[in-house]
Amino acid sequence: MYAEERQQAIADLVRSSGRASVAELALEFAVTTETVRRDLSALAAARVVRRVHGGAVLTPVPTVVESGLDERDLTRAGEKERIARAATHLLPDSGGSVVLDAGSTTSRLAALLTRDARLTVFTHGVPVASRVAVLPHVQLHLLPGRVRTPTQAAVGAETVRSIGRLRVDVAFLGANGISVDHGFSTPDADEAAVKAALVRAARHVVVLADSTKLGRDATVSFAGLAQVDTLVTDADAPDSLVSALRAHGVAVILT
């Protein structure tokens, strides 16, 4: 067995059991403990496993670190554009109401609204509002609050109270992390409170997120799987997680 094959087998074993000792691995693969330690060092350098005394354990799911809106807008731009275009088919009929979360993909959705769109739009995202404000037939409501610089989103108690008085047809939200155990999550507690309020305010909840967000956890969960009706993501989404989401009742649209 080549070193690469053995290392892949070791990684699979650690993933399945959560941990493995050097002695167990040496016996399993009929190699010396020194060889196992070299293999574990290589896997740890690739962040596949984490070295501990006497062996290795599974690397925890990475926690998402928040980045600025401009940086996020440039990341996977093509995928986000396709996701936004697919989301236009989930808009309510003329005369309906939507709330658009702050974010790079929801901002792209706002840019795709046609000039003859007849909708009532609520948003707490400054870039989203600026794109919708030029549409003559859209009734725009900009939600109040303190604007956070990284996301250019209004947050705080005033924002949450304003959303609490709403009932809209569809909410379109972004997410920084999506997993079965932690649900839909974001790094900032104030943003999470606003997103949770948006979820409660809508008859139909749609999350727009590219596949890099799947299988990751951000610090604060704002919705469980049962609270989201539809996820729109790209075709690189892992099959296992897509199946798990669908099993929990989330309709997944792949673009």
Side-chain angles (χ1 to χ4, degrees):
M1 179 181 288
Y2 293 110
E4 291 81 2
E5 295 174 315
R6 186 176 59 251
Q7 289 168 12
Q8 181 61 58
I10 290 173
D12 292 341
L13 194 153
V14 174
R15 287 192 191 100
S16 63
S17 61
R19 63 182 301 115
S21 72
V22 171
E24 291 169 342
L25 293 171
L27 184 62
E28 174 73 20
F29 296 101
V31 294
T32 66
T33 55
E34 289 76 11
T35 297
V36 170
R37 291 189 180 94
R38 285 195 297 270
D39 288 339
L40 293 180
S41 294
L43 292 170
R47 301 181 64 83
V48 176
V49 302
R50 181 165 62 87
R51 289 295 308 273
V52 295
H53 181 70
V57 297
L58 188 64
T59 301
V61 175
T63 297
V64 175
V65 177
E66 187 173 35
S67 57
L69 185 60
D70 290 343
E71 179 183 343
R72 294 205 307 274
D73 192 49
L74 295 173
T75 304
R76 295 177 68 83
E79 287 82 355
K80 290 177 180 180
E81 187 71 19
R82 290 195 296 273
I83 290 168
R85 288 191 179 280
T88 62
H89 299 292
L90 301 175
L91 289 165
D93 294 333
S94 181
S97 58
V98 302
V99 62
L100 296 179
D101 187 15
S104 57
T105 310
T106 50
S107 186
R108 290 175 184 275
L109 172 59
L112 292 172
L113 296 179
T114 61
R115 293 190 63 83
D116 61 350
R118 297 180 181 273
L119 295 170
T120 299
V121 176
F122 298 86
T123 187
H124 67 121
V126 176
V128 172
S130 68
R131 291 185 169 185
V132 175
V134 300
L135 301 176
H137 301 299
V138 170
Q139 187 179 99
L140 172 65
H141 297 263
L142 182 58
L143 298 167
R146 170 182 62 85
V147 176
R148 293 187 69 236
T149 300
T151 57
Q152 299 174 40
V155 298
E158 188 179 12
T159 314
V160 173
R161 281 196 301 269
S162 296
I163 297 169
R165 294 190 288 267
L166 302 180
R167 189 64 171 166
V168 299
D169 294 315
V170 187
F172 293 93
L173 292 90
N176 299 78
I178 302 170
S179 70
V180 172
D181 293 334
H182 199 49
F184 298 81
S185 55
T186 192
D188 183 78
D190 288 336
E191 296 255 4
V194 171
K195 290 175 184 288
L198 295 178
V199 169
R200 294 191 295 269
R203 296 181 180 88
H204 191 88
V205 178
V206 180
V207 171
L208 311 179
D210 70 83
S211 59
T212 63
K213 313 296 175 54
L214 275 67
R216 307 176 72 193
D217 290 334
T219 309
V220 188
S221 174
F222 63 84
L225 300 188
Q227 295 174 281
V228 171
D229 298 291
T230 305
L231 168 67
V232 187
T233 187
D234 60 82
D236 290 333
D239 292 340
S240 58
L241 186 50
V242 169
S243 297
L245 292 170
R246 286 172 171 163
H248 281 80
V250 181
V252 181
I253 298 173
L254 301 176
T255 62

